[in-house]
Amino acid sequence: MYPIDLSDKRGIVLGIANHRSIAWAIAQILHQAGAKLAIAYQNERVKNSVAKLVADWDDTPLIECDVSDDDNVKAAFDTVGDKFGSLDIIVHSIAFANREDLGGPFVDTGREGFRLALDISAYSLLPIARYGSPLMQQNGGSILTLTFQAANRVFPGYNIMGTAKAALENEVKQLASDLGQQDVRVNAISAGPLDTLSSRVISHYRDMKRIHAERSPMRRNITTDEVAKAALFLCSDLSGGITGEILHVDTGYNIMGI
Ligand code: NAD
């Protein structure tokens, strides 16, 4: 479909829950470009819907990976190593916070909710890079995560997830520094609001999306497809010199003052 050939690449995509997931759009575009993919799913609850999405794809390993458990992450990458031998692409498209922590006063965020959100949404990139990057030893590789502008500015309702995204964006830079000499690149896409399972539970999400469309330079919201295309670029050799980057795919919203 696009003139990017990934037929010599192997990758794993983590974070598909259903057909609306950003990770699903990314998996599809990587698959269309010829990449051989393994798909990781969180647990039995989402397994069937994920399996249905990739039912037509040949030889696609489906691997359970709950990122709250390091042994589970290690086992998932052991399985990928057994199946593929090596890896070129890792997509981390995972976040979670308790619903009660995605609204109301941020000052009321409890210790356990804080810990959970940071653990799943930010820390998880570390074991993924730790166990995934050794599979990228030969030819280097690309690790990609998804962030949101609330890492830098206040979006009421996004609350603890803003703190988690700030941590995640810092990790992108530190991991890029750690892994750069192995030719492993680490980048993030900072996406504008998109209707998914995760975004819908954020208080004021509808307002956030409406205001984004009203005030961004392009006067509209982004599409999932636009995020997927940017992911294709960051996962391919076209972005070979880019690491530690936070690429905004947000119709320019982040540049505006008012
Ligand atoms: P989504 O709900 O489809 O995806 C979130 C995924 O995280 C799900 O597949 C879920 O299974 C997975 N997950 C949660 N806890 C997990 C765990 N313990 N182990 C393994 N997987 C776990 O929603 P989405 O919007 O596609 O979110 C994907 C990423 O994009 C998130 O990091 C999110 O913050 C980010 N993002 C989303 C938007 C948006 O507006 N939707 C904007 C910017 C960034």
Side-chain angles (χ1 to χ4, degrees):
M1 194 164 76
Y2 301 103
I4 296 180
D5 181 8
L6 298 183
S7 54
D8 61 341
K9 307 276 189 210
R10 289 158 202 277
I12 179 168
V13 176
L14 302 100
I16 304 176
N18 62 24
H19 70 284
R20 291 186 186 278
S21 295
I22 296 172
W24 172 233
I26 295 173
Q28 283 177 285
I29 206 163
L30 296 178
H31 174 75
Q32 283 159 13
K36 181 149 188 53
L37 294 182
I39 302 293
Y41 61 91
Q42 181 184 355
N43 53 29
E44 286 295 318
R45 190 173 46 82
V46 293
K47 183 179 180 181
N48 277 348
S49 52
V50 175
K52 275 187 201 150
L53 291 174
V54 297
D56 294 344
W57 296 4
D58 291 336
D59 301 330
T60 303
L62 280 182
I63 302 169
E64 184 168 325
C65 182
D66 183 332
V67 298
S68 64
D69 177 359
D70 282 358
D71 290 342
N72 211 203
V73 178
K74 182 175 184 311
F77 281 94
D78 285 347
T79 305
V80 179
D82 290 345
K83 303 257 184 215
F84 287 173
S86 64
L87 209 49
D88 306 281
I89 297 165
I90 298 173
V91 177
H92 168 277
S93 184
I94 289 173
F96 184 79
N98 287 326
R99 184 183 280 252
E100 62 266 28
D101 291 327
L102 295 171
F106 175 63
V107 71
D108 288 340
T109 309
R111 193 176 294 265
E112 179 51 26
F114 185 103
R115 190 204 60 73
L116 180 69
L118 270 283
D119 184 8
I120 304 301
S121 316
Y123 178 75
S124 62
L125 186 64
L126 267 62
I128 285 171
R130 185 185 314 133
Y131 300 123
S133 61
L135 296 171
M136 296 175 157
Q137 292 290 0
Q138 262 182 338
N139 303 313
S142 171
I143 300 176
L144 177 67
T145 187
L146 272 297
T147 185
F148 184 62
Q149 211 206 327
N152 307 303
R153 294 179 192 198
V154 176
F155 287 72
Y158 207 78
N159 294 18
I160 187 57
M161 196 55 79
T163 317
K165 293 304 189 192
L168 183 72
E169 292 189 14
N170 179 269
E171 288 169 36
V172 165
K173 293 172 190 173
Q174 296 206 54
L175 288 170
S177 168
D178 266 7
L179 302 174
Q181 287 173 43
Q182 299 168 40
D183 218 16
V184 173
R185 301 181 293 110
V186 187
N187 294 294
I189 291 174
S190 183
L194 289 165
D195 296 350
T196 64
L197 270 182
S198 294
S199 61
R200 280 160 184 258
V201 298
I202 298 164
S203 303
H204 309 305
Y205 168 73
R206 288 275 145 223
D207 294 334
M208 198 188 293
K209 194 174 168 192
R210 178 181 51 77
I211 292 168
H212 185 107
E214 284 171 8
R215 300 190 190 169
S216 68
M218 296 172 75
R219 297 290 193 275
R220 64 169 176 84
N221 289 117
I222 60 156
T223 66
T224 315
D225 188 47
E226 287 167 336
V227 176
K229 287 178 193 165
L232 177 64
F233 166 68
L234 288 173
C235 291
S236 79
D237 296 341
L238 288 183
S239 59
I242 299 176
T243 195
E245 183 70 17
I246 313 296
L247 178 64
H248 290 88
V249 181
D250 65 349
T251 56
Y253 185 82
N254 74 94
I255 68 166
M256 300 304 287
I258 56 166

